């Protein structure tokens, strides 16, 4: 079976949970929608979201950062019929320092939780990172708890949010492993190889892992929250690199009598070097981390952020900058909420009235404030709060 994670021209573009590589002009997201078989988030859908929620769509939706979906109409049908759904997202705890890219799904999920008033489960795949990285079980488990602090610092409502480490939850609730087994019985090695590009020499741990990321999509994996109900619809916000897991999940769900999860896919927060690749934790110079100091943020942006400006001030004034490839401008589209201000910056930069150094300075200030605020909120997360978020329990929500 062909690997749908790769488009026809393998050198052009690859998007899997482990590799994200675009062509010269960056990642072609329309092509991804085509090859993955998802749906674009278009203007009528945005209007429907606005009508259903009574709120202007989040900037990530307005600006096409969340650009693709599966079954979002069904989620809105449910919501309009006053039937509850739940949110599911996750993080693979491979390092203490999360970067700005990792924040995207969590910022958006928090917004969705607030707007729709729904429960949320957050999976920390410490088991995945044990299998893929050279890390001990103790270390991945510790990192799960460190990352939980960053997730809590995003402002989730403790009464509606359950965060779990796979290593913990596997020992706490038999329903988790039971669902994993059901998925494993339905998926062949051939399918896993096709979907994820795994090979004969990958460990059997890696081959069996996708079932673990699949089952939080099924409501009866969480008996404390949903009892025995298996028909509560799940909506998963994530970057599009995680889609292979959920293509597999959607394929097996009906065979198990479960609902297919719905998805909302985001584009990637690009590496400092440009939008051919995503920000990656394994190369510190591609990323701004949530642990970076104001000085480090300034230095990285000034030194590494790829500019769409011209080589000389004279040329820049004459021809203007190219915002479609300019990383500082792209970063602002993710984090500057004010549409009017952003449009002014775009215009001034494209006309050559604003120089690269000035644009970078605006971004430095926005990110220094954002990261400092995150660090302040993280420092306020106590052990007691972590324990509360991470204890299997009933959640409060209207159903
Ligand atoms: P991980 O830890 O690689 O990434 C966590 C989340 O961040 C998204 N992400 C990005 N989003 C935008 N720009 C980027 N540069 C960027 N890099 C990463 C990922 O898509 C993900 O949503 N196996 C998963 C953990 C997981 C999960 C899930 C994720 C378990 N269950 C359900 C999403 C939904 C992982 O290692 O994610």
């Amino acid at each position: 079976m062909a690997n749908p994670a790769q488009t026809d021209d393998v050198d052009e573009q690859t998007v899997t949970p482990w590799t994200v590589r675009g062509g010269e002009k960056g990642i072609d997201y329309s092509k991804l929608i085509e090859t993955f078989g998802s749906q674009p988030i278009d203007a009528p859908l945005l209007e429907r979201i606005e009508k259903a929620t009574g709120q202007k769509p989040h900037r990530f939706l307005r600006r096409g950062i969340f650009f693709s979906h599966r079954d979002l109409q069904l989620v809105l049908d449910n919501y309009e019929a006053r039937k509850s759904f739940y949110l599911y997202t996750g993080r693979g705890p491979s390092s203490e320092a999360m970067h700005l890219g990792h924040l995207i799904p969590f910022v958006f999920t928090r917004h969705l939780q607030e707007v729709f008033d729904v429960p949320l489960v957050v999976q920390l795949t410490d088991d995945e990172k044990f299998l893929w990285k050279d890390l001990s079980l103790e270390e991945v488990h510790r990192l799960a708890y460190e990352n939980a602090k960053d997730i809590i610092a995003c402002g989730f409502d403790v009464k509606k949010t359950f965060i779990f480490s796979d290593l913990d939850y596997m020992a706490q609730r038999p329903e988790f492993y039971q669902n994993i087994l059901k998925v494993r019985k339905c998926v062949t090695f051939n399918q896993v190889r096709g979907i994820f590009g795994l090979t004969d020499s990958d460990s059997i741990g890696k081959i069996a892992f996708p079932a673990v990321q699949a089952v939080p999509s099924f409501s009866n994996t969480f008996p404390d929250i949903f009892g025995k109900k298996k028909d509560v619809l799940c909506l998963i916000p994530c970057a599009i690199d995680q889609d292979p897991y959920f293509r597999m999940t959607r394929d097996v769900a009906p065979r198990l009598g479960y609902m297919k999860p719905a998805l909302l896919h985001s584009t990637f927060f690009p590496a400092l070097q440009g939008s051919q690749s995503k920000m990656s934790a394994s190369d510190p110079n591609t990323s701004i981390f949530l642990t970076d100091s104001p000085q480090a943020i300034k230095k990285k942006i000034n030194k590494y952020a790829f500019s769409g400006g011209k080589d000389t001030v004279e040329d820049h004034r004459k021809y203007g900058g190219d915002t479609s490839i300019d990383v500082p401008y792209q970063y602002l589209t993710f984090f500057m909420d004010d549409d009017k201000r952003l449009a002014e910056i775009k215009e001034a930069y494209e006309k050559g009235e604003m120089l690269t150094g000035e644009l970078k300075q605006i971004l430095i200030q926005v990110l220094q404030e954002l990261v400092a605020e995150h660090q302040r909120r993280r420092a306020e997360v106590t052990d007691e709060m972590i324990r509360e978020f991470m204890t299997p329990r009933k959640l409060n929500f209207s159903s």
Side-chain angles (χ1 to χ4, degrees):
M1 199 204 301
N3 180 359
Q6 295 178 333
T7 49
D8 352 359
D9 184 347
V10 175
D11 292 331
E12 262 285 290
Q13 165 158 303
T14 306
V15 175
T16 72
W18 308 285
T19 310
V20 173
R21 196 182 55 235
E24 234 173 69
K25 294 198 192 110
I27 292 155
D28 181 343
Y29 288 105
S30 323
K31 201 164 176 188
L32 270 187
I33 287 182
E34 232 173 78
T35 41
F36 283 11
S38 59
Q39 305 296 315
I41 297 179
D42 53 15
L45 190 55
L46 286 181
E47 265 169 42
R48 189 169 171 207
I49 295 170
E50 181 157 1
K51 217 166 149 202
T53 61
Q55 288 195 26
K56 181 165 139 183
H58 190 272
R59 66 175 181 278
F60 289 170
L61 287 169
R62 300 198 300 272
R63 299 180 188 159
I65 289 169
F66 273 81
F67 71 105
S68 150
H69 77 100
R70 296 183 190 274
D71 281 344
L72 190 62
Q73 281 100 341
L74 202 60
V75 175
L76 294 170
D77 290 347
N78 265 31
Y79 181 69
E80 285 164 359
R82 298 189 178 282
K83 254 177 93 182
S84 193
F85 65 94
Y86 72 103
L87 295 161
Y88 158 40
T89 194
R91 153 80 182 147
S94 54
S95 67
E96 219 153 285
M98 286 167 64
H99 58 58
L100 286 178
H102 293 131
L103 216 50
I104 308 302
F106 290 103
V107 167
F108 190 55
T109 303
R110 178 185 177 265
H111 164 81
L112 294 175
Q113 178 179 61
E114 204 172 84
V115 168
F116 289 105
D117 184 26
V118 284
L120 161 68
V121 296
V122 181
Q123 179 179 47
L124 300 170
T125 50
D126 38 13
D127 51 348
E128 175 192 11
K129 293 304 161 185
F130 172 71
L131 292 165
W132 261 268
K133 304 271 172 182
D134 188 16
L135 296 169
S136 68
L137 278 173
E138 292 71 25
E139 182 62 358
V140 290
H141 191 244
R142 186 185 74 78
L143 291 172
Y145 278 72
E146 283 304 311
N147 288 180
K149 287 187 204 165
D150 285 291
I151 294 166
I152 293 168
C154 291
F156 292 106
D157 182 346
V158 69
K159 297 201 170 61
K160 300 192 187 101
T161 307
F162 172 46
I163 303 176
F164 62 100
S165 122
D166 284 345
L167 287 171
D168 288 345
Y169 197 53
M170 197 76 78
Q172 288 166 330
R173 292 294 175 267
E175 288 82 354
F176 189 27
Y177 188 52
Q178 286 163 6
N179 270 339
I180 290 169
L181 278 181
K182 288 182 189 175
V183 171
R184 285 186 181 158
K185 199 170 181 176
C186 286
V187 183
T188 65
F189 175 42
N190 221 11
Q191 286 169 318
V192 172
R193 192 163 40 193
I195 298 169
F196 298 95
L198 294 173
T199 68
D200 287 2
S201 40
D202 278 308
S203 74
I204 58 170
K206 287 186 184 178
I207 294 159
F209 172 75
V212 180
Q213 186 156 330
V215 303
S217 314
F218 308 139
S219 53
N220 66 355
T221 297
F222 304 102
D224 306 83
I225 308 173
F226 303 111
K228 287 190 184 312
K229 277 191 193 167
K230 51 183 190 174
D231 62 349
V232 186
L233 183 61
C234 172
L235 172 63
I236 307 170
C238 57
I240 195 146
D241 61 334
Q242 300 297 310
D243 188 66
Y245 287 110
F246 303 116
R247 282 203 296 273
M248 184 196 84
T249 309
R250 285 170 58 86
D251 187 48
V252 296
R255 283 187 274 159
L256 300 177
Y258 294 155
M259 317 241 329
K260 290 181 180 188
L263 282 121
L264 275 167
H265 299 122
S266 79
T267 58
F268 300 110
F269 191 72
L272 281 161
Q273 286 72 11
S275 50
Q276 288 86 350
S277 63
K278 65 167 186 167
M279 207 169 238
S280 154
S282 46
D283 180 355
N285 290 335
T286 66
S287 306
I288 311 264
F289 292 97
L290 297 172
T291 45
D292 279 347
S293 66
Q295 296 80 347
I297 294 173
K298 183 174 175 188
K299 192 171 153 210
K300 283 187 190 177
I301 291 170
N302 280 332
K303 188 163 176 194
Y304 299 114
F306 182 80
S307 169
K310 298 291 176 295
D311 287 343
T312 64
V313 173
E314 213 174 39
D315 277 0
H316 189 87
R317 293 274 186 227
K318 196 164 163 193
Y319 303 110
D322 182 352
T323 51
S324 73
I325 53 165
D326 191 276
V327 167
Y329 176 76
Q330 308 272 319
Y331 282 14
L332 282 181
T333 65
F334 281 82
F335 289 115
M336 179 178 266
D337 197 46
D338 185 339
D339 289 337
K340 194 165 156 267
R341 173 112 176 84
L342 189 68
E344 284 164 5
I345 292 171
K346 184 172 193 290
E347 193 183 332
Y349 193 64
E350 287 177 347
K351 280 187 176 164
E353 291 162 8
M354 182 181 280
L355 298 175
T356 297
E358 294 169 296
L359 178 57
K360 285 192 171 179
Q361 190 45 46
I362 296 171
L363 176 70
I364 288 167
Q365 204 182 339
V366 167
L367 293 188
Q368 282 176 336
E369 277 169 22
L370 181 115
V371 171
E373 174 64 13
H374 181 86
Q375 290 172 359
R376 194 187 56 69
R377 277 189 269 117
R378 190 183 196 275
E380 283 172 1
V381 176
T382 61
D383 288 348
E384 177 54 24
M385 284 161 78
I386 300 173
R387 199 192 53 75
E388 209 182 336
F389 270 99
M390 298 188 70
T391 300
R393 67 207 188 283
K394 209 170 153 38
L395 298 180
N396 287 356
F397 58 96
S398 41
S399 61

